[in-house]
Amino acid sequence: MSRVMDVFADAWRLLRARPAGNLAAVAVLALGLTAVMSVAAIARLVMNDAPAALPAQALYAVGAGFGPGQGLTLTGADALALRTEIPGLADASLTRWNDFNVGSVRTGDGSHAERVSGLLVDGDPFRLLGWSMALGRGFDAGDFRPGAPAAVVIGDALWRTRFAADPAIIGRQVRVDGAPATVIGVLPPRRAYPFQQQMYLAIALQTDRAQMDRPWAALARIDDADALGGIEAALAAQQADRERRLGEDARQAPLRLAALFDGQADPGTYLLIVVLAIVVGLVMLLAASNVGGLLLVQWLGRGRDLATRHALGATSGRVVAGLFVQALLLVVAAWLLAVASANLVLAGFGDYLRSVENGMPLYAELSLSLPVLAISALVAVAMAAVLMLPTWRRLRRGDLAVGLRSGARTAGGLSRFGRALFGMQSLLAVVTVLATVQAMLGARDQMRAPLGMATDSVVVAQFHGSNAEAKARFAEQLRERLAIEPGVEAVTVSANIPVALVTRRDVVREEQRLNVDFAPVDAGYRNVYGFAMRSGRWFDSEDVAAARPVAVLDPSAAEALFGDDDPIGRSFSIQESAGNVDYQVIGVSQPVRLVGRGGADEPSVFAPVPRAPVYELAVSVRVRGAPEAFAPRLRQIATGIDADFGLTDVGSFAASRWRANGWTRMVLGLFAPLGVLALVLAAAGLSALLGSLVAQRVREIGVRRALGAPAGGLIRTLLGGLGLWGGVGSALGVGLAFLMVGPLSQTLYGDNHVGLVSVMGTLAAMAVVLLLASAGPVRRALRIQPTEALREE
């Protein structure tokens, strides 16, 4: 026990000897560990890990497709058939994402509808999820019978904002898409499925023909593990029948049962997490190497003391044990500080994601998990062991005793190992900062990429409704009313807003299949967005009124489908849920982009919008003057036509494009702090390293100053080749970053080009930060006077 106490006493003396340096080591390590913990918690969320609020091990998705379970869907008819034919799925809940127009039950009271994100449900999902209501009740079988009165469950946020947290809401009727519905329940706070939906409307799917051909998700709860095999066998038999009937289409989207939370993510998200993990790992290494340099200088500065104690009989083991305990105490303090810091970071980031529509499921917890805490603690302990290796090596070789016999005050100053540490710090910082700079520039380019359209004076909004005929009437009246509004130059009501509202379709021509951006539009679309035709013609009012199967291609689609041949008059087909529809090409536009991704132009196809489509519609208006000023008038006109339709995302096209790039902005929010942190760590490491060297060599510097040594010579001696090691590390960092950043840019922005601006900006930022970091210690060294050196002696 006394030996243990002696070791701790040695460590305590080391901690007290240089309190400022030890506090700096704790802060640097805490920053690195905070980044590791925070990113690990975020990765756990986006990788679809099971949340604590759900019985995740018993929840399954049933549907067709590949990838994570939450992406499986079936047509309404197929989903009903599975529920009927497979006994183990009889209680499955069928759900479909749907936005509702929620208004007052009293018409003509001056209020307007509010668009609310929600679900159509056939079968109670809350019973499967194990959630009870805060007020009222959940759904029962009677709510899904044909002809049953419309019943809705609402979320806590909607209850508080739209209905002022009125406890008497249960039993009250509200208008949902123009029809009355009774509120039967209110969910507790932080409960919504699958993301942030705030309204759930019960329907009898078997009697709703409009929904039978649309995609639905099936949620099943299977508590009996033995039942899984029977369900999977039944699905395999049905899949074999689908392949006989549908051929390749069925094989491309197989029918299967998948765990709802299976720890998988789509390839783009997975790559983002991998790159983010690499970057945060580099940040952690950067922090560790900084602390290694700090402690190395500190321990070498105490070389005389260590060598004396070793010569007087203290074993290498005891000396090294003292150093290890010092490092371990620093690491423990840093780990505790990092836990507190990471909790604050995650709490703020979680609040932000819950404030963004579908940014994060309300039931999800962005918090530190036991595995994350345990792994970070093991990493921290391992670092404590690694940090004392250089000094242990010098003790074993006798370098400290040699220095003592030669009369050296320290033990030779900064070693080659210390300079190599600085080189590694430069490498890690350059990789991290370059990845961040490229992410920032890619995001900027994506949000500013030219679309081939004139959008500066365009106001946009979106609307939807379950009654297709009512929505068609509203669209027609909105188009007519806006066309005569003063200050309006052109109007379009379509199913497309570039970047913000874009759908994809598979186009087939002979044996060729092409995935394109598909835009159902009307005759006014080209006038609103201001692009020209290269050949042929644009749609006229008769094309749209008759829903003629005609199409306009952009040059990218024309070339991909027809090569160098003239596409006018040629045909292709588009896969729709009801079957293939043949289209005839009537025109080719100038180059346009419907999405903001970089790289080569994505093929785009325009077709007449149906009169009463089942999907969401958008209104776009070209105005004279500032588009933001017209937005309130647009909402007022819409409310005057039909108060049961609520417009969403009303504003300028620029604002719409900004909102549509939410994923890009989140990526920036993840990478930018890491880049700043890397620069801070690099600066802190160099500043502390040089500061420690100056503190060690006060006598030497003072004597040389007294003998007339020039300032340049002192600076070169102090830096001791650090510039060379930093330059080599930075060059290697640029090369390593090219290997990592290219795939990330390709996935996020469709362009894997790492530009000269990114490289030069990174190197310039590193140079400025390191110069600023070294300025203080160098200035302090040049101010040392001979009298100060004598006091040191």
Side-chain angles (χ1 to χ4, degrees), residues 645-711:
F645 281 93
L647 299 183
T648 60
D649 298 334
V650 184
S652 67
F653 175 82
S656 174
R657 186 172 184 177
W658 173 259
R659 285 191 298 270
N661 280 293
W663 171 253
T664 302
R665 286 184 280 117
M666 191 187 81
V667 169
L668 282 181
L670 293 175
F671 276 96
L674 293 177
V676 173
L677 181 57
L679 288 174
V680 169
L681 289 176
L686 179 61
S687 180
L689 183 65
L690 294 179
S692 298
L693 285 175
V694 170
Q696 285 182 42
R697 305 173 74 172
V698 168
R699 180 176 179 273
E700 175 190 344
I701 294 171
V703 171
R704 294 185 64 186
R705 290 287 287 165
L707 296 175

Side-chain angles (χ1 to χ4, degrees), residues 31 132-133 160 169 234 297 299 403 473 499 508 540 542 594 710 712 744 751 790:
L31 286 173
S132 58
M133 297 292 119
R160 295 182 184 279
I169 187 66
V297 170
W299 290 337
R473 289 193 296 271
V499 181
V508 180
D540 57 31
E542 294 183 1
L594 296 183
L744 174 68
D751 190 346
L790 291 175

Side-chain angles (χ1 to χ4, degrees), residues 328-456:
L328 184 61
L329 292 175
L330 293 177
V331 166
V332 170
W335 185 82
L336 293 174
L337 180 58
V339 170
S341 301
N343 276 320
L344 292 175
V345 169
L346 293 175
F349 192 58
D351 290 342
Y352 165 73
L353 290 179
R354 279 186 285 270
S355 70
V356 178
E357 185 178 4
N358 297 326
M360 183 176 78
L362 291 185
Y363 55 76
E365 289 289 344
L366 192 56
S367 60
L368 298 176
S369 63
L370 286 178
V372 169
L373 293 174
I375 291 172
S376 62
L378 289 175
V379 170
V381 172
M383 285 192 303
V386 171
L387 292 177
M388 43 69 62
L389 288 179
T391 302
W392 173 80
R393 182 167 171 264
R394 291 171 73 90
L395 278 171
R396 293 280 293 177
R397 294 191 317 181
D399 291 351
L400 296 179
V402 172
L404 178 62
R405 286 194 297 269
S406 67
R409 177 175 177 81
T410 65
L414 190 62
S415 65
R416 185 186 307 165
F417 183 82
R419 292 191 293 271
L421 270 178
F422 174 70
M424 187 172 73
Q425 292 169 15
S426 300
L427 182 152
L428 298 174
V430 165
V431 172
T432 307
V433 174
L434 182 53
T436 301
V437 170
Q438 183 63 24
M440 294 174 65
L441 292 179
R444 183 204 63 181
D445 292 344
Q446 176 164 310
M447 289 187 281
R448 296 181 180 178
L451 304 176
M453 302 179 181
T455 59
D456 291 343

